[in-house]
Amino acid sequence: MKQTSLWESERLSMERSLALTLESLQLYGPAYRHWAMAYSGGKDSSAVVTLVAHFIASGQIKAPETLTVLYADTRMELPPLHHAAMHILKALQQRGIHTRIVLPALDERFFVYMFGRGVPPPKNRFRWCTPQLKVEPMEQALVGLREAYGEKFLMLTGVRLGESAARDQRIITSCSRDGAECGQGWFQEMTPARVADVLAPCLHWRVCHVWDWLTFYAPEAGFPTQIIAEVYGGDEKEEINARTGCVGCNLASRDVALETVLKLPQWAYLAPLKRLRPLYQQLMRPENRLRKNGERKKNGSLSANPMRMGPLHMDARRAGLVEVLAMQEEVNRAAHHLNRPCIDLINEEEHQRILELIETNTWPDKWTGEEIRADLLVPQVVADGIIQDLLMREL
């Protein structure tokens, strides 16, 4: 049972949080002709985009000349969150707000990169997914906006205190820059050459305020946000405050978000997606990859890790593709039967591109496909040139 804090009366109420957000937008917004919002489909960015749209529609803040919402579609989001994001974008469009879906380049998309090029699934020491699927495409889109506007614009984000200890420390360090106060949102004024100045108008919001907005206030304003709160934990969302990532994320110890979604009867048909994490873990194993055998640099010296494991070999890539398509087909059969949303982890364009890259024998940089299989027992070459022979050889 949750105990009431002695300082409960000192904590911000929902009404005070809304008032502070409104004040920050009224204070900083009029200085910019153009606003933009990077939208991930998660709880905080969903709260910000719907709140700003509501303030404009209700006349509480003046609309800028242009307001653009950029949705970062990694093609790997939890299906309920992606489904909700599409409906929120539609609701924004109906209010005259320009929206754009930002996708990674075709060859950079998760399964095209993995099965078409052979790059193994991401891991904590090789986390290629986040920058490639989300950060870099969004940065390019923002640069494109700056070039179109010919001036800096105001970038609104869903950053909140309490989401990340490291982020909180950065905010504490810079929160008073240019005279800004925490209660007015976290404002960062960049140099003229930068793409945008940044405002986090909900910096001060407690997580319970985010849930209240998504569950009660935003739906009353016409936004379909209840499902987002359900995905983050349903009735227990305030206690667990679950963080979401890509479906089947290989970097987390558990896919808590998918587990939570599958407890909801209307989304239980997504259960085949539970096989994604075991598939990624299997693909990381030596029997599915190639290995260098005494790799040398251009100058002839041994590389730092001359026996390093590398990409997925062709058999593993083909088998992985078949398995993901089978999961997708299984989910979509159930979706059609239940009249529920379908998924496309790998759409037709991506499928054809994967097959093309396999057919043209495509490999990551510095790999040719002629390397040895990683599960083959061979003498080990270490960086100083010493060769460690096998302890036992076949007779």
Side-chain angles (χ1 to χ4, degrees):
M1 180 176 178
K2 186 177 179 180
Q3 294 183 342
T4 301
S5 167
L6 292 173
W7 313 108
E8 190 70 23
S9 62
E10 301 297 323
R11 302 177 75 177
L12 284 174
S13 66
M14 182 65 179
E15 291 71 22
R16 183 56 180 155
S17 287
L18 287 168
L20 287 171
T21 296
L22 182 59
E23 289 174 14
S24 71
L25 291 167
Q26 292 171 335
L27 176 65
Y28 297 111
Y32 301 85
R33 296 194 304 149
H34 308 285
W35 297 3
M37 291 185 278
Y39 177 40
S40 69
K43 67 182 192 302
D44 295 324
S45 66
S46 294
V48 170
V49 297
T50 54
L51 179 61
V52 171
H54 169 67
F55 279 158
I56 291 174
S58 60
Q60 297 180 73
I61 57 174
K62 183 180 179 181
E65 290 185 23
T66 65
L67 172 57
T68 303
V69 174
L70 301 170
Y71 173 58
D73 188 355
T74 65
R75 304 274 299 114
M76 295 299 296
E77 302 299 331
L78 282 167
L81 290 183
H82 184 267
H83 181 71
M86 294 299 101
H87 282 79
I88 289 173
L89 292 179
K90 183 177 180 180
L92 294 171
Q93 292 164 3
Q94 292 171 346
R95 289 160 172 77
I97 296 173
H98 179 63
T99 66
R100 185 190 305 177
I101 296 176
V102 178
L103 287 162
L106 180 58
D107 283 6
E108 303 295 307
R109 297 180 194 174
F110 189 84
F111 289 115
V112 178
Y113 200 61
M114 185 187 303
F115 298 141
R117 195 171 183 84
V119 179
K123 57 182 181 179
N124 284 318
R125 292 188 178 183
F126 184 43
R127 194 168 184 158
W128 54 263
C129 49
T130 302
Q132 185 165 305
L133 301 181
K134 181 177 288 187
V135 177
E136 293 168 5
M138 184 59 70
E139 288 177 345
Q140 293 170 8
L142 294 173
V143 169
L145 282 183
R146 170 61 194 264
E147 292 173 349
Y149 296 149
E151 61 188 61
K152 278 196 302 183
F153 54 90
L154 182 63
M155 183 73 182
L156 302 176
T157 76
V159 170
R160 285 190 312 107
L161 285 169
E163 284 294 284
S164 161
R167 180 188 292 168
D168 286 358
Q169 185 58 48
R170 291 196 300 269
I171 292 172
I172 290 169
T173 301
S174 64
C175 196
S176 61
R177 183 181 299 174
D178 301 309
E181 299 291 339
C182 286
Q184 296 172 330
W186 182 34
F187 177 70
Q188 291 183 295
E189 185 174 4
M190 307 301 185
T191 63
R194 295 293 294 273
V195 168
D197 294 338
V198 180
L199 174 65
C202 295
L203 178 77
H204 53 280
W205 280 37
R206 296 158 57 186
V207 69
C208 60
H209 296 163
V210 175
W211 301 135
D212 285 348
W213 177 262
L214 296 176
T215 304
F216 306 112
Y217 292 79
E220 289 179 3
F223 293 101
T225 54
Q226 300 100 320
I227 189 175
I228 300 171
E230 292 176 353
V231 169
Y232 277 86
D235 294 336
E236 300 176 349
K237 53 189 173 293
E238 184 176 354
E239 283 73 28
I240 66 172
N241 191 18
R243 297 179 68 89
T244 62
C246 295
V247 62
C249 178
N250 194 45
L251 304 177
S253 57
R254 281 176 56 201
D255 193 351
V256 176
L258 180 59
E259 292 173 5
T260 301
V261 166
L262 294 179
K263 293 177 183 178
L264 303 172
Q266 66 271 35
W267 295 104
Y269 71 97
L270 298 174
L273 298 181
K274 291 191 296 184
R275 303 203 301 268
L276 281 172
R277 277 172 54 85
L279 172 63
Y280 299 153
Q281 292 162 3
Q282 178 65 26
L283 290 172
M284 295 291 291
R285 294 175 59 85
E287 60 264 31
N288 290 309
R289 300 171 63 183
L290 299 181
R291 180 191 296 280
K292 294 292 186 181
N293 189 11
E295 181 185 33
R296 294 184 178 273
K297 303 176 184 177
K298 291 182 178 180
N299 63 9
S301 63
L302 287 167
S303 65
N305 185 3
M307 304 296 293
R308 65 189 175 102
M309 281 201 297
L312 306 175
H313 56 63
M314 286 296 184
D315 290 343
R317 289 153 71 172
R318 293 188 182 96
L321 174 61
V322 168
E323 177 61 20
V324 173
L325 291 175
M327 293 180 212
Q328 179 171 288
E329 176 61 23
E330 187 175 344
V331 168
N332 288 341
R333 281 200 307 269
H336 287 301
H337 178 71
L338 299 169
N339 195 27
R340 297 291 296 155
C342 291
I343 64 170
D344 62 346
L345 294 173
I346 300 176
N347 61 30
E348 185 58 32
E349 180 187 29
E350 293 161 352
H351 187 192
Q352 291 305 313
R353 184 55 178 160
I354 291 170
L355 296 179
E356 289 173 5
L357 292 170
I358 290 176
E359 180 65 25
T360 55
N361 196 38
T362 305
W363 298 91
D365 293 342
K366 299 182 180 180
W367 295 83
T368 66
E370 298 178 358
E371 293 81 5
I372 63 173
R373 295 273 289 255
D375 58 345
L376 180 65
L377 293 177
V378 295
Q380 298 294 296
V381 181
V382 295
D384 58 6
I386 297 175
I387 298 177
Q388 297 178 345
D389 206 354
L390 299 178
L391 295 178
M392 299 181 63
R393 292 183 178 275
E394 293 185 11
L395 298 177

